[in-house]
Coordinates of all heavy atoms in Angstrom, one line a residue:
D1 N 9.0 -4.9 -32.8 CA 9.4 -3.6 -32.4 C 8.2 -3.0 -31.9 O 7.1 -3.0 -32.3 CB 10.0 -2.7 -33.6 CG 11.3 -3.3 -34.0 OD1 11.9 -4.2 -33.4 OD2 11.7 -2.9 -35.1
P2 N 8.5 -2.1 -30.9 CA 7.4 -1.3 -30.3 C 6.9 -0.1 -31.3 O 7.6 0.2 -32.1 CB 8.0 -0.7 -29.0 CG 9.4 -0.6 -29.3 CD 9.7 -1.7 -30.2
F3 N 5.7 0.4 -31.0 CA 5.1 1.3 -32.0 C 4.0 2.1 -31.3 O 3.5 1.7 -30.2 CB 4.5 0.7 -33.2 CG 3.7 -0.4 -32.9 CD1 2.2 -0.2 -32.9 CD2 4.0 -1.8 -32.8 CE1 1.3 -1.1 -32.6 CE2 3.1 -2.7 -32.5 CZ 1.7 -2.5 -32.4
W4 N 3.7 3.2 -32.0 CA 2.5 4.1 -31.3 C 1.2 3.5 -31.9 O 1.2 3.0 -33.1 CB 2.7 5.4 -31.8 CG 3.8 6.3 -31.0 CD1 5.0 6.7 -31.7 CD2 3.8 6.7 -29.8 NE1 5.7 7.3 -30.8 CE2 5.0 7.4 -29.5 CE3 2.8 6.8 -28.8 CZ2 5.3 8.0 -28.4 CZ3 3.2 7.3 -27.6 CH2 4.4 8.0 -27.5
L5 N 0.2 3.6 -31.1 CA -1.1 3.1 -31.5 C -2.2 4.0 -30.8 O -1.8 4.7 -29.9 CB -1.3 1.6 -31.3 CG -1.1 1.2 -29.8 CD1 -2.3 1.5 -29.0 CD2 -1.1 -0.4 -29.8
L6 N -3.4 3.9 -31.3 CA -4.6 4.5 -30.6 C -5.2 3.2 -30.0 O -5.5 2.2 -30.6 CB -5.5 5.0 -31.5 CG -5.0 6.3 -32.3 CD1 -6.0 6.8 -33.3 CD2 -4.6 7.4 -31.3
T7 N -5.4 3.4 -28.7 CA -5.9 2.2 -27.8 C -7.4 1.9 -28.2 O -8.1 2.8 -28.5 CB -5.9 2.6 -26.3 OG1 -6.5 3.7 -26.1 CG2 -4.5 2.7 -25.9
K8 N -7.6 0.6 -28.3 CA -9.0 0.1 -28.6 C -9.8 0.0 -27.2 O -11.0 0.0 -27.2 CB -8.9 -1.1 -29.2 CG -8.5 -1.2 -30.6 CD -8.5 -2.5 -31.3 CE -7.9 -2.3 -32.7 NZ -8.0 -3.7 -33.4
W9 N -9.0 -0.2 -26.0 CA -9.6 -0.3 -24.8 C -8.8 0.7 -23.8 O -7.8 1.0 -24.0 CB -9.5 -1.8 -24.2 CG -10.1 -2.8 -25.1 CD1 -11.5 -3.0 -25.2 CD2 -9.5 -3.5 -26.2 NE1 -11.7 -3.9 -26.2 CE2 -10.6 -4.3 -26.8 CE3 -8.3 -3.7 -26.7 CZ2 -10.3 -5.2 -27.9 CZ3 -8.1 -4.5 -27.7 CH2 -9.0 -5.3 -28.2
A10 N -9.5 0.9 -22.7 CA -8.7 1.6 -21.6 C -7.7 0.8 -20.9 O -7.8 -0.5 -21.0 CB -9.7 2.1 -20.5
G11 N -6.6 1.3 -20.6 CA -5.5 0.4 -20.0 C -4.9 1.3 -18.9 O -5.2 2.4 -18.6
K12 N -3.7 0.7 -18.4 CA -2.9 1.2 -17.3 C -1.5 1.5 -17.8 O -0.9 0.4 -18.3 CB -3.1 0.5 -16.1 CG -2.3 1.1 -14.7 CD -2.6 0.3 -13.6 CE -1.9 0.9 -12.4 NZ -1.9 -0.1 -11.3
C13 N -0.9 2.7 -17.7 CA 0.4 2.9 -18.0 C 1.4 2.1 -17.1 O 1.3 2.1 -15.9 CB 0.7 4.4 -18.1 SG 2.5 4.9 -18.4
E14 N 2.3 1.4 -17.9 CA 3.3 0.6 -17.1 C 4.3 1.5 -16.5 O 5.0 1.1 -15.5 CB 4.1 -0.3 -18.0 CG 3.2 -1.3 -18.7 CD 3.0 -2.6 -17.7 OE1 3.8 -2.7 -16.9 OE2 1.9 -3.2 -17.9
G15 N 4.4 2.8 -17.0 CA 5.5 3.7 -16.4 C 4.9 4.4 -15.1 O 5.5 4.3 -14.0
C16 N 3.8 5.2 -15.2 CA 3.4 6.0 -14.1 C 2.1 5.5 -13.5 O 1.7 6.0 -12.5 CB 3.0 7.4 -14.7 SG 1.7 7.6 -16.0
G17 N 1.4 4.5 -14.1 CA 0.3 3.9 -13.5 C -1.1 4.6 -13.8 O -2.2 4.2 -13.3
E18 N -1.0 5.7 -14.6 CA -2.0 6.4 -15.0 C -3.1 5.5 -15.9 O -2.5 4.8 -16.7 CB -1.8 7.7 -15.7 CG -1.2 8.7 -14.7 CD -2.1 9.3 -13.8 OE1 -3.3 9.7 -14.2 OE2 -1.7 9.6 -12.7
I19 N -4.3 5.8 -15.8 CA -5.3 5.3 -16.8 C -5.2 5.8 -18.1 O -5.1 6.9 -18.2 CB -6.8 5.4 -16.2 CG1 -6.9 4.7 -15.0 CG2 -7.7 4.8 -17.3 CD1 -6.7 3.2 -14.8
I20 N -5.0 4.9 -19.1 CA -5.0 5.4 -20.6 C -6.3 5.2 -21.1 O -6.8 4.0 -21.2 CB -3.9 4.6 -21.3 CG1 -2.5 4.8 -20.8 CG2 -3.9 5.1 -22.8 CD1 -1.5 3.8 -21.3
P21 N -7.2 6.3 -21.5 CA -8.5 6.1 -22.0 C -8.5 5.5 -23.3 O -7.6 5.6 -24.1 CB -9.0 7.4 -22.0 CG -8.0 8.3 -21.3 CD -6.7 7.7 -21.2
K22 N -9.6 4.8 -23.6 CA -9.9 4.3 -25.0 C -9.7 5.4 -26.0 O -10.2 6.5 -25.8 CB -11.3 3.7 -25.0 CG -11.6 3.1 -26.4 CD -13.1 2.6 -26.4 CE -13.5 2.2 -27.7 NZ -14.8 1.7 -27.8
G23 N -9.0 5.1 -27.0 CA -8.9 6.1 -28.2 C -7.7 7.0 -28.0 O -7.4 7.8 -28.9
S24 N -6.8 6.8 -26.9 CA -5.7 7.6 -26.7 C -4.4 7.0 -27.4 O -4.3 5.8 -27.7 CB -5.4 7.8 -25.3 OG -6.5 8.3 -24.5
R25 N -3.6 7.9 -27.7 CA -2.3 7.6 -28.3 C -1.5 6.9 -27.2 O -1.3 7.4 -26.1 CB -1.6 8.7 -28.7 CG -0.3 8.4 -29.6 CD 0.3 9.6 -30.3 NE 1.4 10.2 -29.5 CZ 2.5 10.5 -29.9 NH1 2.9 10.3 -31.2 NH2 3.4 11.0 -29.2
A26 N -0.9 5.8 -27.6 CA 0.0 5.2 -26.5 C 1.1 4.3 -27.3 O 1.1 4.0 -28.4 CB -0.8 4.0 -25.6
W27 N 2.3 4.2 -26.4 CA 3.5 3.3 -27.0 C 3.4 2.1 -26.4 O 3.0 1.7 -25.3 CB 4.8 4.0 -26.4 CG 6.1 3.5 -26.8 CD1 6.9 2.8 -26.2 CD2 6.7 3.6 -28.1 NE1 8.0 2.4 -26.8 CE2 7.8 2.9 -28.1 CE3 6.2 4.2 -29.3 CZ2 8.7 2.9 -29.2 CZ3 7.0 4.2 -30.3 CH2 8.3 3.6 -30.3
Y28 N 3.3 1.0 -27.4 CA 3.1 -0.3 -27.2 C 4.2 -1.3 -27.5 O 4.8 -1.1 -28.6 CB 1.9 -0.7 -28.1 CG 1.5 -2.1 -27.9 CD1 0.9 -2.6 -26.7 CD2 1.5 -3.0 -28.9 CE1 0.5 -4.0 -26.6 CE2 1.2 -4.4 -28.7 CZ 0.6 -4.8 -27.5 OH 0.3 -6.1 -27.4
Y29 N 4.6 -2.2 -26.6 CA 5.7 -3.2 -26.8 C 4.9 -4.5 -27.0 O 4.3 -5.1 -26.0 CB 6.5 -3.4 -25.6 CG 7.6 -2.2 -25.4 CD1 7.3 -1.1 -24.6 CD2 8.8 -2.4 -26.0 CE1 8.2 -0.1 -24.5 CE2 9.8 -1.4 -25.9 CZ 9.5 -0.3 -25.1 OH 10.5 0.6 -25.1
P30 N 4.8 -5.0 -28.2 CA 4.1 -6.4 -28.5 C 4.6 -7.4 -27.6 O 3.9 -8.3 -27.0 CB 4.3 -6.4 -30.0 CG 4.7 -5.3 -30.6 CD 5.5 -4.4 -29.4
I31 N 5.9 -7.5 -27.6 CA 6.4 -8.7 -26.7 C 6.3 -8.2 -25.2 O 6.8 -7.1 -24.8 CB 7.9 -8.8 -27.1 CG1 8.1 -9.2 -28.4 CG2 8.5 -9.8 -26.0 CD1 9.5 -9.4 -29.0
G32 N 5.5 -8.9 -24.4 CA 5.3 -8.5 -23.2 C 3.9 -7.8 -23.0 O 3.4 -7.7 -22.0
K33 N 3.4 -7.3 -24.1 CA 2.2 -6.4 -24.1 C 2.2 -5.3 -23.2 O 1.1 -5.1 -22.5 CB 1.0 -7.4 -23.8 CG 0.9 -8.5 -25.1 CD -0.4 -9.3 -24.9 CE -0.4 -10.3 -26.0 NZ -1.5 -11.2 -25.9
H34 N 3.2 -4.6 -23.2 CA 3.3 -3.4 -22.2 C 3.0 -2.1 -22.9 O 3.1 -2.0 -24.2 CB 4.9 -3.2 -21.8 CG 5.3 -4.4 -20.9 ND1 4.9 -4.7 -19.7 CD2 6.3 -5.3 -21.2 CE1 5.5 -5.8 -19.2 NE2 6.3 -6.2 -20.2
I35 N 2.3 -1.4 -22.1 CA 1.7 0.0 -22.8 C 2.0 1.1 -21.9 O 2.0 0.9 -20.7 CB 0.2 -0.2 -23.1 CG1 -0.3 0.9 -24.0 CG2 -0.7 -0.2 -21.8 CD1 -1.6 0.7 -24.6
Y36 N 2.4 2.2 -22.6 CA 2.8 3.4 -21.9 C 1.9 4.7 -22.5 O 1.7 4.7 -23.5 CB 4.2 3.6 -22.1 CG 5.1 2.6 -21.4 CD1 5.4 1.5 -22.3 CD2 5.6 2.8 -20.3 CE1 6.3 0.4 -21.6 CE2 6.3 1.8 -19.6 CZ 6.6 0.7 -20.4 OH 7.4 -0.4 -19.8
C37 N 1.6 5.5 -21.6 CA 0.9 6.6 -21.9 C 1.7 7.6 -22.8 O 2.9 7.3 -23.0 CB 0.4 7.5 -20.7 SG 1.8 8.2 -19.7
D38 N 1.0 8.6 -23.4 CA 1.8 9.5 -24.3 C 3.0 10.1 -23.7 O 4.1 10.1 -24.2 CB 0.8 10.6 -24.8 CG 1.2 11.3 -26.0 OD1 2.0 10.8 -26.7 OD2 0.6 12.4 -26.2
I39 N 2.9 10.5 -22.4 CA 4.1 11.2 -21.8 C 5.2 10.2 -21.5 O 6.5 10.4 -21.8 CB 3.6 11.9 -20.5 CG1 2.6 12.9 -20.8 CG2 4.8 12.3 -19.7 CD1 1.9 13.6 -19.6
C40 N 4.9 9.1 -20.9 CA 5.9 8.1 -20.7 C 6.4 7.4 -22.1 O 7.6 7.0 -22.1 CB 5.4 7.0 -19.7 SG 5.0 7.6 -18.1
G41 N 5.6 7.3 -22.9 CA 5.9 6.7 -24.2 C 7.0 7.5 -25.0 O 7.9 6.8 -25.7
I42 N 7.1 8.7 -24.8 CA 8.1 9.6 -25.5 C 9.4 9.2 -25.1 O 10.3 9.0 -26.0 CB 7.7 11.1 -25.4 CG1 6.5 11.5 -26.1 CG2 8.9 11.9 -25.9 CD1 6.0 12.9 -25.7
G43 N 9.6 9.0 -23.8 CA 11.0 8.5 -23.3 C 11.3 7.2 -23.7 O 12.5 7.0 -24.1
H44 N 10.3 6.3 -23.8 CA 10.6 4.9 -24.3 C 10.8 4.9 -25.7 O 11.7 4.1 -26.2 CB 9.4 4.0 -23.9 CG 9.3 3.6 -22.5 ND1 10.0 2.5 -22.0 CD2 8.8 4.2 -21.4 CE1 9.9 2.3 -20.6 NE2 9.1 3.5 -20.4
E45 N 10.3 5.7 -26.6 CA 10.5 5.8 -28.0 C 12.0 6.2 -28.2 O 12.7 5.6 -29.1 CB 9.4 6.8 -28.6 CG 9.8 6.9 -30.2 CD 8.9 7.9 -30.8 OE1 8.4 8.9 -30.1 OE2 8.6 7.8 -32.0
R46 N 12.3 7.2 -27.5 CA 13.7 7.9 -27.6 C 14.7 6.8 -27.2 O 15.7 6.6 -28.0 CB 13.9 9.1 -26.8 CG 13.2 10.4 -27.2 CD 13.4 11.5 -26.4 NE 12.6 12.5 -26.8 CZ 12.2 13.6 -26.1 NH1 12.6 13.6 -24.8 NH2 11.5 14.6 -26.7
T47 N 14.5 6.1 -26.2 CA 15.4 5.0 -25.7 C 15.5 3.9 -26.8 O 16.6 3.5 -27.2 CB 15.0 4.5 -24.5 OG1 15.0 5.4 -23.4 CG2 15.9 3.4 -24.0
F48 N 14.3 3.6 -27.3 CA 14.3 2.5 -28.4 C 15.1 2.8 -29.6 O 15.9 2.2 -30.1 CB 12.9 2.2 -28.7 CG 12.7 1.0 -29.8 CD1 13.1 -0.3 -29.6 CD2 12.5 1.4 -31.1 CE1 13.1 -1.1 -30.6 CE2 12.3 0.5 -32.1 CZ 12.6 -0.7 -31.9
K49 N 14.8 4.1 -30.2 CA 15.4 4.6 -31.3 C 17.0 4.7 -31.1 O 17.7 4.3 -32.0 CB 14.9 5.9 -31.8 CG 13.4 5.7 -32.3 CD 12.9 7.1 -32.8 CE 11.6 6.9 -33.5 NZ 11.0 8.2 -34.2
S50 N 17.4 5.1 -30.0 CA 18.7 5.3 -29.7 C 19.5 3.9 -29.6 O 20.6 3.7 -30.2 CB 19.0 5.9 -28.3 OG 20.4 5.9 -27.9
Q51 N 18.8 2.9 -29.0 CA 19.3 1.5 -29.0 C 19.3 0.9 -30.5 O 20.4 0.3 -30.8 CB 18.6 0.6 -28.3 CG 18.7 0.9 -26.7 CD 17.6 0.2 -25.8 OE1 16.5 -0.4 -26.2 NE2 17.8 0.2 -24.5
V52 N 18.5 1.2 -31.3 CA 18.4 0.8 -32.7 C 19.6 1.5 -33.4 O 20.4 0.7 -34.1 CB 17.0 1.0 -33.3 CG1 17.3 0.8 -34.9 CG2 16.0 0.1 -32.9
A53 N 19.8 2.7 -33.2 CA 21.0 3.3 -33.9 C 22.3 2.8 -33.4 O 23.2 2.6 -34.1 CB 20.9 5.0 -33.6
D54 N 22.4 2.6 -32.0 CA 23.7 2.0 -31.5 C 24.0 0.6 -32.1 O 25.1 0.4 -32.5 CB 23.5 1.9 -29.9 CG 23.7 3.2 -29.3 OD1 24.0 4.3 -30.0 OD2 23.4 3.3 -28.0
D55 N 22.9 -0.2 -32.2 CA 23.0 -1.5 -32.9 C 23.5 -1.3 -34.3 O 24.4 -2.2 -34.6 CB 21.8 -2.3 -32.8 CG 21.4 -2.6 -31.4 OD1 22.3 -2.6 -30.5 OD2 20.2 -3.1 -31.1
A56 N 23.0 -0.5 -35.0 CA 23.4 -0.2 -36.4 C 24.8 0.1 -36.6 O 25.5 -0.4 -37.3 CB 22.4 0.6 -37.1
I57 N 25.2 1.1 -35.7 CA 26.8 1.6 -35.7 C 27.5 0.4 -35.3 O 28.6 0.3 -36.1 CB 26.8 2.7 -34.7 CG1 26.1 4.0 -35.3 CG2 28.3 3.0 -34.5 CD1 26.0 5.1 -34.4
M58 N 27.2 -0.4 -34.3 CA 28.1 -1.6 -33.9 C 28.2 -2.6 -35.0 O 29.1 -3.3 -35.2 CB 27.7 -2.1 -32.7 CG 27.6 -1.2 -31.5 SD 29.4 -0.5 -31.1 CE 30.1 -2.1 -30.6
A59 N 27.2 -2.6 -35.9 CA 27.1 -3.7 -37.0 C 27.8 -3.0 -38.2 O 27.9 -3.7 -39.2 CB 25.7 -4.0 -37.3
G60 N 28.3 -1.8 -38.0 CA 29.1 -1.2 -39.2 C 28.2 -0.4 -40.3 O 28.6 -0.2 -41.3
E61 N 26.9 -0.3 -39.9 CA 26.1 0.3 -40.8 C 26.2 1.9 -40.7 O 26.5 2.4 -39.7 CB 24.6 0.0 -40.5 CG 24.3 -1.5 -40.7 CD 22.9 -2.0 -40.3 OE1 22.1 -1.0 -40.1 OE2 22.6 -3.0 -40.0
R62 N 25.9 2.6 -41.9 CA 25.9 4.0 -41.7 C 24.6 4.5 -41.2 O 23.5 3.9 -41.5 CB 26.0 4.6 -43.2 CG 27.6 4.3 -43.7 CD 27.7 5.1 -45.0 NE 27.7 6.4 -44.7 CZ 27.7 7.5 -45.7 NH1 27.8 7.1 -46.9 NH2 27.7 8.7 -45.4
V63 N 24.6 5.5 -40.3 CA 23.4 5.9 -39.7 C 23.3 7.5 -39.9 O 24.3 8.2 -39.7 CB 23.5 5.7 -38.1 CG1 22.3 6.2 -37.4 CG2 23.6 4.1 -37.8
N64 N 22.1 7.8 -40.3 CA 21.8 9.2 -40.6 C 21.1 9.8 -39.3 O 20.0 9.4 -39.1 CB 20.9 9.4 -41.8 CG 20.7 10.8 -42.1 OD1 20.9 11.6 -41.2 ND2 20.2 11.1 -43.3
P65 N 21.8 10.6 -38.6 CA 21.1 11.0 -37.2 C 19.9 11.9 -37.5 O 19.2 12.1 -36.5 CB 22.4 11.8 -36.5 CG 23.2 12.2 -37.7 CD 23.1 11.2 -38.8
Y66 N 19.7 12.4 -38.8 CA 18.6 13.3 -39.0 C 17.3 12.5 -39.5 O 16.4 13.2 -39.6 CB 19.0 14.3 -40.0 CG 20.2 15.1 -39.5 CD1 21.3 14.9 -40.1 CD2 20.0 16.0 -38.4 CE1 22.5 15.7 -39.5 CE2 21.1 16.8 -37.9 CZ 22.4 16.6 -38.5 OH 23.4 17.2 -38.0
V67 N 17.4 11.3 -39.6 CA 16.2 10.5 -40.1 C 15.3 10.3 -38.9 O 15.8 10.0 -37.7 CB 16.7 9.2 -40.7 CG1 15.4 8.4 -40.9 CG2 17.3 9.4 -41.9
G68 N 13.9 10.5 -39.1 CA 13.0 10.4 -37.9 C 12.9 11.5 -36.9 O 12.3 11.4 -36.0
V69 N 13.6 12.7 -37.3 CA 13.6 13.8 -36.4 C 12.2 14.7 -36.7 O 11.9 14.8 -37.8 CB 14.9 14.8 -36.6 CG1 14.8 16.1 -35.8 CG2 16.2 13.9 -36.2

């Protein structure tokens, strides 16, 4: 699963192409090793959490919409 991290090295955002400085917060997808800046990462985090909730609902699990808010 993707997660927020503090970068150990400078990198380039996969979303907007901006340089992500060392020590910055970034959204990271371990599979594929994609990294997104703080601004682009927020949208990716929302999409990921929405997909996780949809998968849980389709599997018949109870989902609390207020968790993680």
